[in-house]
Structures are given as C-alpha cells and as structure tokens.
Short mmCIF file of all heavy atoms in Angstrom, two decimals:
data_model
loop_
_atom_site.label_atom_id
_atom_site.label_comp_id
_atom_site.label_asym_id
_atom_site.label_seq_id
_atom_site.Cartn_x
_atom_site.Cartn_y
_atom_site.Cartn_z
N GLY F 181 -42.19 47.93 60.73
CA GLY F 181 -41.61 46.73 60.98
C GLY F 181 -42.48 45.65 61.54
O GLY F 181 -41.97 44.53 61.94
N ALA F 182 -43.75 45.76 61.47
CA ALA F 182 -44.71 44.75 61.87
C ALA F 182 -44.54 43.46 61.07
O ALA F 182 -44.18 43.53 59.84
CB ALA F 182 -46.17 45.19 61.79
N VAL F 183 -44.78 42.26 61.60
CA VAL F 183 -44.60 41.01 60.86
C VAL F 183 -45.92 40.63 60.18
O VAL F 183 -46.95 41.11 60.41
CB VAL F 183 -44.08 39.91 61.84
CG1 VAL F 183 -42.83 40.30 62.51
CG2 VAL F 183 -45.23 39.65 62.97
N GLY F 184 -45.79 39.65 59.20
CA GLY F 184 -46.94 39.09 58.53
C GLY F 184 -47.54 40.04 57.43
O GLY F 184 -48.73 39.91 57.16
N MET F 185 -46.72 40.89 56.96
CA MET F 185 -47.20 41.96 56.00
C MET F 185 -47.62 41.33 54.70
O MET F 185 -48.58 41.78 54.10
CB MET F 185 -46.15 43.04 55.91
CG MET F 185 -46.65 44.18 55.13
SD MET F 185 -48.05 44.95 56.03
CE MET F 185 -47.22 45.39 57.67
N LYS F 186 -46.99 40.32 54.22
CA LYS F 186 -47.32 39.66 52.93
C LYS F 186 -48.77 39.17 52.92
O LYS F 186 -49.55 39.37 51.95
CB LYS F 186 -46.30 38.59 52.59
CG LYS F 186 -46.64 37.99 51.26
CD LYS F 186 -45.52 36.88 50.83
CE LYS F 186 -45.79 36.38 49.52
NZ LYS F 186 -44.77 35.33 49.10
N GLU F 187 -49.16 38.44 53.98
CA GLU F 187 -50.51 37.95 54.14
C GLU F 187 -51.48 39.08 54.23
O GLU F 187 -52.63 39.04 53.59
CB GLU F 187 -50.61 37.02 55.28
CG GLU F 187 -49.86 35.67 55.19
CD GLU F 187 -48.41 35.82 55.38
OE1 GLU F 187 -47.93 36.94 55.79
OE2 GLU F 187 -47.60 34.85 55.12
N LEU F 188 -51.11 40.11 54.95
CA LEU F 188 -52.04 41.27 55.07
C LEU F 188 -52.31 41.87 53.73
O LEU F 188 -53.46 42.28 53.40
CB LEU F 188 -51.37 42.27 56.06
CG LEU F 188 -52.20 43.51 56.38
CD1 LEU F 188 -53.41 43.17 57.19
CD2 LEU F 188 -51.30 44.51 57.12
N MET F 189 -51.25 42.04 52.96
CA MET F 189 -51.44 42.82 51.70
C MET F 189 -52.14 41.92 50.59
O MET F 189 -52.71 42.42 49.65
CB MET F 189 -50.10 43.24 51.15
CG MET F 189 -49.37 44.23 52.06
SD MET F 189 -50.50 45.58 52.61
CE MET F 189 -50.78 46.36 51.01
N GLN F 190 -52.20 40.64 50.85
CA GLN F 190 -52.97 39.76 49.92
C GLN F 190 -54.41 40.00 50.14
O GLN F 190 -55.22 40.07 49.18
CB GLN F 190 -52.61 38.26 50.12
CG GLN F 190 -51.25 37.89 49.61
CD GLN F 190 -50.89 36.47 49.82
OE1 GLN F 190 -51.46 35.80 50.74
NE2 GLN F 190 -49.91 35.89 49.05
N SER F 191 -54.81 40.16 51.39
CA SER F 191 -56.24 40.47 51.68
C SER F 191 -56.56 41.87 51.20
O SER F 191 -57.69 42.20 50.66
CB SER F 191 -56.57 40.43 53.13
OG SER F 191 -56.36 39.07 53.63
N TRP F 192 -55.61 42.83 51.24
CA TRP F 192 -55.81 44.18 50.74
C TRP F 192 -56.07 44.17 49.28
O TRP F 192 -56.92 44.83 48.73
CB TRP F 192 -54.56 45.00 51.09
CG TRP F 192 -54.48 46.39 50.59
CD1 TRP F 192 -55.07 47.50 51.09
CD2 TRP F 192 -53.83 46.82 49.37
NE1 TRP F 192 -54.84 48.60 50.41
CE2 TRP F 192 -54.04 48.25 49.31
CE3 TRP F 192 -53.08 46.20 48.40
CZ2 TRP F 192 -53.52 48.96 48.28
CZ3 TRP F 192 -52.55 46.96 47.37
CH2 TRP F 192 -52.80 48.34 47.28
N LEU F 193 -55.23 43.39 48.49
CA LEU F 193 -55.38 43.31 47.07
C LEU F 193 -56.73 42.59 46.71
O LEU F 193 -57.40 43.09 45.77
CB LEU F 193 -54.25 42.50 46.43
CG LEU F 193 -54.39 42.20 44.98
CD1 LEU F 193 -54.28 43.44 44.21
CD2 LEU F 193 -53.24 41.22 44.51
N LEU F 194 -57.11 41.61 47.51
CA LEU F 194 -58.31 40.86 47.21
C LEU F 194 -59.55 41.84 47.26
O LEU F 194 -60.41 41.78 46.34
CB LEU F 194 -58.62 39.77 48.22
CG LEU F 194 -59.95 39.04 48.25
CD1 LEU F 194 -60.15 38.39 46.83
CD2 LEU F 194 -59.99 38.01 49.29
N ALA F 195 -59.58 42.72 48.19
CA ALA F 195 -60.75 43.63 48.31
C ALA F 195 -60.78 44.50 47.07
O ALA F 195 -61.81 44.79 46.59
CB ALA F 195 -60.64 44.55 49.57
N GLY F 196 -59.61 45.01 46.66
CA GLY F 196 -59.54 45.81 45.48
C GLY F 196 -60.06 45.05 44.23
O GLY F 196 -60.75 45.64 43.44
N ILE F 197 -59.63 43.86 44.09
CA ILE F 197 -59.97 43.06 42.88
C ILE F 197 -61.56 42.83 42.90
O ILE F 197 -62.20 42.90 41.78
CB ILE F 197 -59.26 41.73 42.91
CG1 ILE F 197 -57.75 41.93 42.55
CG2 ILE F 197 -59.92 40.72 41.99
CD1 ILE F 197 -56.89 40.69 42.64
N ILE F 198 -62.09 42.52 44.02
CA ILE F 198 -63.53 42.27 44.09
C ILE F 198 -64.39 43.47 43.62
O ILE F 198 -65.32 43.36 42.91
CB ILE F 198 -63.94 41.85 45.56
CG1 ILE F 198 -63.39 40.50 45.86
CG2 ILE F 198 -65.40 42.00 45.73
CD1 ILE F 198 -63.63 40.08 47.34
N VAL F 199 -63.86 44.73 44.06
CA VAL F 199 -64.64 45.96 43.65
C VAL F 199 -64.40 46.25 42.21
O VAL F 199 -65.30 46.73 41.52
CB VAL F 199 -64.09 47.09 44.51
CG1 VAL F 199 -64.80 48.42 44.10
CG2 VAL F 199 -64.49 46.85 45.98
N VAL F 200 -63.20 45.88 41.65
CA VAL F 200 -62.99 46.03 40.22
C VAL F 200 -63.89 45.12 39.45
O VAL F 200 -64.49 45.52 38.36
CB VAL F 200 -61.52 45.75 39.86
CG1 VAL F 200 -61.35 45.66 38.39
CG2 VAL F 200 -60.54 46.82 40.38
N ILE F 201 -64.06 43.87 39.96
CA ILE F 201 -65.00 42.95 39.29
C ILE F 201 -66.40 43.52 39.26
O ILE F 201 -67.13 43.51 38.25
CB ILE F 201 -65.01 41.60 39.96
CG1 ILE F 201 -63.63 40.85 39.71
CG2 ILE F 201 -66.10 40.64 39.48
CD1 ILE F 201 -63.41 39.60 40.54
N SER F 202 -66.74 44.14 40.39
CA SER F 202 -68.16 44.71 40.45
C SER F 202 -68.36 45.83 39.44
O SER F 202 -69.47 46.03 38.97
CB SER F 202 -68.41 45.25 41.80
OG SER F 202 -67.85 46.48 42.09
N LEU F 203 -67.33 46.45 39.03
CA LEU F 203 -67.35 47.53 38.04
C LEU F 203 -67.29 46.95 36.66
O LEU F 203 -68.21 47.27 35.78
CB LEU F 203 -66.22 48.54 38.27
CG LEU F 203 -66.29 49.43 39.46
CD1 LEU F 203 -64.93 50.10 39.71
CD2 LEU F 203 -67.32 50.52 39.26
N THR F 204 -66.34 46.18 36.34
CA THR F 204 -66.12 45.68 34.98
C THR F 204 -67.19 44.71 34.53
O THR F 204 -67.59 44.80 33.28
CB THR F 204 -64.71 45.05 34.75
OG1 THR F 204 -64.55 44.01 35.66
CG2 THR F 204 -63.62 46.13 35.08
N VAL F 205 -67.62 43.88 35.36
CA VAL F 205 -68.66 42.90 35.09
C VAL F 205 -70.02 43.60 34.82
O VAL F 205 -70.71 43.37 33.83
CB VAL F 205 -68.77 41.75 36.13
CG1 VAL F 205 -69.99 40.87 35.76
CG2 VAL F 205 -67.52 40.85 36.02
N THR F 206 -70.35 44.52 35.67
CA THR F 206 -71.52 45.32 35.58
C THR F 206 -71.58 46.05 34.29
O THR F 206 -72.54 46.00 33.55
CB THR F 206 -71.67 46.33 36.68
OG1 THR F 206 -71.77 45.65 37.96
CG2 THR F 206 -72.81 47.34 36.52
N LEU F 207 -70.46 46.67 33.96
CA LEU F 207 -70.37 47.39 32.61
C LEU F 207 -70.57 46.41 31.44
O LEU F 207 -71.22 46.73 30.40
CB LEU F 207 -69.07 48.18 32.55
CG LEU F 207 -68.96 49.25 31.44
CD1 LEU F 207 -69.97 50.30 31.63
CD2 LEU F 207 -67.54 49.87 31.48
#
C-alpha cells in the first residue's frame, strides 16, 4: 500500500531499458 508506486516503477523500467540497449546495440 505504499504511495507513489507509478513513478517508482517508471525508474524501474528505465533501468531495464538501458541495459537492454547495452545488449542490442552492442550486438
């Protein structure tokens, strides 16, 4: 029940996207 979860999960997704970029662009 903690508040502000949407903003928190946007940062969570951003980290995942950045690492995916490091993989796909490198390849």
Side-chain angles (χ1 to χ4, degrees):
V183 297
M185 193 56 63
K186 184 176 180 181
E187 291 78 9
L188 182 69
M189 296 314 294
Q190 286 178 341
S191 296
W192 175 83
L193 176 65
L194 172 61
I197 287 175
I198 288 173
V199 178
V200 168
I201 290 174
S202 77
L203 288 164
T204 57
V205 172
T206 293
L207 193 60

